[in-house]
Amino acid sequence: MTEPLPRELAGAWAELVATARRTTDEGLVVGTSGNVSVRVGDTVLVTPSGVPYHRLGPADAVGVGLDGQRLLGELRPTSELPMHLAVYRATGARAIVHTHAVHATAVSTLVTELPPVHYMTAALGGPVRVAPYALYGSEELARHTLAALRDRTGCLLRNHGTLTYGATLDQAYDRTAQLEWMCRVWLTARSVPGLSPTLLSEADLAEAAGKLRGYGPRP
């Protein structure tokens, strides 16, 4: 019989499952593609490999250490575990969302950086880079992802999808959704014959970044 999770891990797992289900419900992934993780202390809870998110329950929790060693659960962790762990080890991330969102994946095949068509670019740290292609689940992909994330909280993965991180699952998910939306805006604008999208300057983005730091409810 599986031992019940400690309260903190149980709450984090429930939030992780809810976030993973959002990625399918809102069309950011299809089937069991994409993955979600959250860090609680030195334990990384992560979606298991090949299990539909709507089937996941408390007994399906999977947790590993920052070195990849299994700490809890019996299911196999996502194949993208090396990428998640690399980001946790190199950044202040507490949650990661990886998707195969349609518009973002399309953009990843066209450019090396998403052009800054909207001020929400600043919320991800600046123009979003595209990590070079590498086989999914590989250490090479993990290295490419870290390079693309330098001074950023999100990136595109060439011919693959997106990865964003944040201090919470809600923040990581919101960044994923914003990135997909910006990719859709750029693709829509560039599809108009004879016209090119206007782009924001570095000064525009810096100004927006300053204002975004004060955005949201205050105590």
Side-chain angles (χ1 to χ4, degrees):
M1 181 175 178
T2 304
E3 291 290 327
L5 293 174
R7 183 186 299 270
E8 186 178 19
L9 290 179
W13 176 252
E15 188 178 359
L16 180 151
V17 171
T19 301
R21 289 174 179 168
R22 282 186 72 187
T23 65
T24 56
D25 292 345
E26 299 182 15
L28 297 178
V29 302
V30 175
T32 60
S33 64
N35 27 77
V36 178
S37 67
V38 62
R39 179 176 175 178
V40 182
D42 288 332
T43 298
V44 175
L45 299 176
V46 62
T47 47
S49 179
V51 180
Y53 298 144
H54 71 275
R55 294 184 187 173
L56 292 175
D60 299 313
V62 177
V64 301
L66 292 172
D67 58 0
Q69 292 297 308
R70 183 187 296 273
L71 299 178
L72 60 94
E74 299 178 359
L75 296 175
R76 186 159 50 98
T78 173
S79 57
E80 296 292 7
L81 184 62
M83 184 168 63
H84 286 253
L85 293 180
V87 174
Y88 285 121
R89 289 193 295 257
T91 73
R94 307 303 294 187
I96 294 171
V97 176
H98 164 53
T99 78
H100 294 178
V102 173
H103 299 93
T105 303
V107 169
S108 80
T109 71
L110 298 172
V111 295
T112 58
E113 183 177 274
L114 173 64
V117 291
H118 194 272
Y119 65 79
M120 284 305 291
T121 299
L124 295 172
V128 177
R129 305 182 187 99
V130 180
Y133 178 79
L135 181 66
Y136 78 92
S138 67
E139 294 291 347
E140 182 182 14
L141 178 59
R143 291 192 298 271
H144 289 335
T145 301
L146 284 185
L149 285 173
R150 179 174 47 83
D151 301 322
R152 303 286 188 270
T153 54
C155 69
L156 300 177
L157 310 175
R158 186 170 301 285
N159 296 88
H160 187 156
T162 70
L163 183 138
T164 59
Y165 71 83
T168 64
L169 280 163
D170 280 345
Q171 186 179 60
Y173 185 86
D174 181 66
R175 287 171 172 167
T176 294
Q178 292 285 356
L179 178 53
E180 168 67 356
W181 179 81
M182 286 191 293
C183 287
R184 185 176 183 180
V185 167
W186 181 72
L187 286 171
T188 301
R190 76 184 293 272
S191 70
V192 179
L195 296 176
S196 297
T198 58
L199 303 178
L200 300 179
S201 67
E202 289 186 14
D204 292 330
L205 293 178
E207 183 180 34
K211 192 163 187 176
L212 285 168
R213 280 192 285 271
Y215 179 77
R218 294 176 176 80

